[in-house]
Amino acid sequence: MANGLIWATAEDLMRNRGKVLYLYRQILRSLNSSDLPLTYAARLSKKAEVRTIFIFGSEERSLHNIADLIDTAEYSLSILKKGRLP
């Protein structure tokens, strides 16, 4: 039964691993920025959300979903670097 997803091979997963780890680390670092108007508790909460998203994303085996995770992470990072939250 085809559901329209293209499954990732081991090579695809390894190719994306470095970029996903880079984006994950950059987002966590950006959440520590003093430019963001967040309390300590809010920062911890946002970091927990990011960890959860990436944990579930690490279990993905669909090329489309992996690409969506990378696109979303890049967009989120660009917003965080501007110093404002969505």
Side-chain angles (χ1 to χ4, degrees), residues 35-36 75-85:
D35 295 338
L36 295 176
Y75 176 74
S76 299
L77 187 58
S78 71
I79 287 177
L80 286 169
K81 285 188 177 184
K82 290 179 184 175
R84 54 190 166 101
L85 291 175

Side-chain angles (χ1 to χ4, degrees), residues 40-57:
Y40 181 70
R43 286 181 202 280
L44 291 178
S45 174
K46 291 291 182 190
K47 286 180 181 183
E49 290 176 23
V50 169
R51 283 187 195 100
T52 302
I53 290 168
F54 276 88
I55 285 171
F56 285 119

